[in-house]
Amino acid sequence: MKSRTAGPVAAITGIGVVAPNGIGADAFWKATQAGDSVLDRVTRQGCEHLPVRVAGEVRGFDPGSLVEERFLVQTDRFTHYALAAADLALEHARLGRADYEDDPYAVGVVTAAGSGGGEFGQRELQRLWGQGPRYVGPYQSIAWFYAASTGQISIRRGFKGPCGVVASDEAGGLDAFAYAARAIRHGSRAMLVGATEAPLAPYSVVCQVGYEGLSTAEDPERAYRPFTAKACGFVPAEGGAMFTVEDAARAARRGAPVRALVAGHCATFTPPGRPQDSEGLAHAVRGALREAGCAPEEVDVVFADALGTPEADAAEAAALRAALGAYGSKVPVTAPKTGTGRAYCAAGTLDAAAAVLALEHGVVPPTPNVFDVCHDLDVVTGSARVTPLRTALVLSRGRMGSNAALVLRKGPQSGA
């Protein structure tokens, strides 16, 4: 296949992770590679009586030690995660203010979010109805908004380039990479891109209770088991990942490590309420491979969407077979999110982080809590699989019909 893209190539040079299984790329990868499952009972105050019993909570995160007070008081937990992850991504890329202070318009920010600042919004609404309007803080108008993270990162860092927020259901985390890659092709030096979520406040959990496919199982080891006969849905999670994406040639000139190349992306839409539909996702896979100039047999690992319902899992398996042909049953498939939970828009970004690190280390991480696979897929279970990796395919399906596929290629300086 020949790639249809031209011009500057978008490269991932930095990864910042705030996840239930670790803060920072190194801690996240260590737990992901080991197949650790950190799913546990929900402990957030006010959620005790709600039917969602198991989730992936970010533990040990101290926002006060990572983010200035003036930004903390203006923002919700999901933006705290984004601000911290953005710092980590910039540090990982060794991109400092001196690299862009001559032209702050050359660096932008794009994030995706689905739930927004539910915890902040709930607190202020309780003040409104419990104490009166004069007790509602002025930041209620912005902190709940799903675009808050993009705005606060750009303000805090002085980025004045193309900024935006992607609102395309759970697939938005992968769609944000396409936005960033397009900005790089149009002349931007760098983009901060990613997604974080904090959907475990009482108000947010209540909003999720009606979601088709949400698991209400009480045993953390059995609550989220996609691709098995006992699949009973997914469990929610918080956290996410941010990335520094740069023009690959410019990054190489300044000595930054090119960890992976954003090679291809495609998004499609399927009418909502049809988890059994496979063609939309299959079309997204074909489109992403076409843009990347990648033949099906060149895909070395698939990071699955793994919704965890029988219909959706069967559709995803069918989509891979339809898009990759006979190779769809042979390519290694993994879903590390079964050990951390499904963080909505941020699920795709956490998978993308795991994919970049897998390419760097030549290791396919396992799918925690999954053993008895009942679909015609080579799902990596039990322990990690060591194998040469050059190309990763990351998939995401939204509950409301959005589909996205992202192709990542190993960077020329990303190690073994």
Side-chain angles (χ1 to χ4, degrees):
M1 284 188 179
K2 184 178 179 180
S3 173
R4 294 186 176 183
T5 61
V9 177
I12 294 172
T13 56
I15 304 171
V17 178
V18 177
N21 64 347
I23 297 172
D26 290 343
F28 168 74
W29 175 245
K30 182 179 179 180
T32 299
Q33 181 179 352
D36 294 343
S37 177
V38 296
L39 300 181
D40 208 341
R41 300 297 293 268
V42 178
T43 64
R44 291 288 159 74
Q45 186 176 3
C47 295
E48 301 87 350
H49 64 291
L50 298 174
V52 177
R53 304 297 188 186
V54 176
E57 296 183 0
V58 173
R59 304 177 190 275
F61 178 78
D62 179 14
S65 66
L66 300 169
V67 182
E68 303 92 318
E69 177 65 20
R70 69 187 181 95
F71 286 100
L72 290 180
V73 300
Q74 300 178 29
T75 52
D76 178 82
R77 185 193 300 265
F78 91 105
T79 299
H80 300 168
Y81 293 152
L83 291 167
D87 285 350
L88 292 170
L90 290 168
E91 180 182 349
H92 204 218
R94 302 198 294 271
L95 184 71
R97 191 171 294 273
D99 294 304
Y100 60 84
E101 62 183 355
D102 64 312
D103 185 6
Y105 293 94
V107 183
V109 184
V110 58
T111 65
S115 59
E119 185 176 72
F120 194 108
Q122 177 179 341
R123 183 180 68 239
E124 297 303 309
L125 289 175
Q126 286 175 327
R127 289 175 177 171
L128 171 65
W129 297 111
Q131 298 171 275
R134 69 176 57 188
Y135 291 92
V136 177
Y139 300 116
Q140 164 66 355
S141 62
I142 59 172
W144 67 270
F145 191 41
Y146 54 83
S149 295
T150 290
Q152 296 289 7
I153 292 171
S154 62
I155 291 169
R156 183 169 176 247
R157 284 286 181 169
F159 297 146
K160 299 181 179 181
C163 291
V165 60
V166 179
S168 58
D169 202 1
E170 293 171 58
L174 298 188
D175 292 343
F177 281 96
Y179 184 109
R182 184 167 58 250
I184 295 298
R185 289 196 297 272
H186 289 175
S188 294
R189 292 185 192 175
M191 295 287 292
L192 264 289
V193 54
T196 55
E197 300 270 25
L200 300 182
Y203 167 78
S204 300
V205 174
V206 168
C207 292
Q208 297 168 62
V209 167
Y211 289 174
E212 183 178 357
L214 186 70
S215 175
T216 56
E218 299 200 11
D219 183 350
E221 294 184 0
R222 300 177 182 273
Y224 187 18
R225 302 187 65 210
F227 304 119
T228 72
K230 296 182 179 179
C232 59
F234 69 93
V235 301
E238 58 185 2
M242 295 293 297
F243 302 79
T244 305
V245 175
E246 302 183 61
D247 173 352
R250 182 182 291 272
R253 285 197 297 271
R254 72 175 186 85
V258 175
R259 303 181 185 280
L261 304 178
V262 181
H265 167 272
C266 185
T268 64
F269 182 77
T270 302
R274 297 176 58 183
Q276 73 280 7
D277 188 292
S278 62
E279 181 51 33
L281 182 61
H283 189 83
V285 172
R286 296 188 195 101
L289 293 178
R290 184 167 56 250
E291 182 174 89
C294 179
E297 60 273 15
E298 291 181 69
V299 177
D300 298 310
V301 59
V302 174
F303 284 76
D305 174 67
L307 184 64
T309 67
E311 299 84 2
D313 293 345
E316 185 167 15
L320 283 172
R321 292 193 297 272
L324 305 182
Y327 186 62
S329 300
K330 301 174 183 178
V331 61
V333 175
T334 184
K337 61 171 70 75
T338 62
T340 59
R342 185 182 177 91
Y344 296 106
C345 281
T349 63
L350 288 171
D351 279 345
V356 174
L357 293 164
L359 292 172
E360 284 192 352
H361 292 87
V363 174
V364 179
T367 307
N369 300 320
V370 171
F371 303 100
D372 49 337
V373 176
C374 66
H375 296 277
D376 188 17
L377 294 174
D378 180 18
V379 180
V380 178
T381 63
S383 60
R385 184 181 300 178
V386 178
T387 184
L389 300 176
R390 299 291 304 175
T391 304
L393 174 66
V394 186
L395 306 180
S396 182
R397 300 179 77 198
R399 294 171 300 96
M400 300 304 294
S402 295
N403 308 289
L406 179 72
V407 177
L408 298 172
R409 295 277 203 181
K410 183 178 178 180
Q413 301 162 356
S414 62

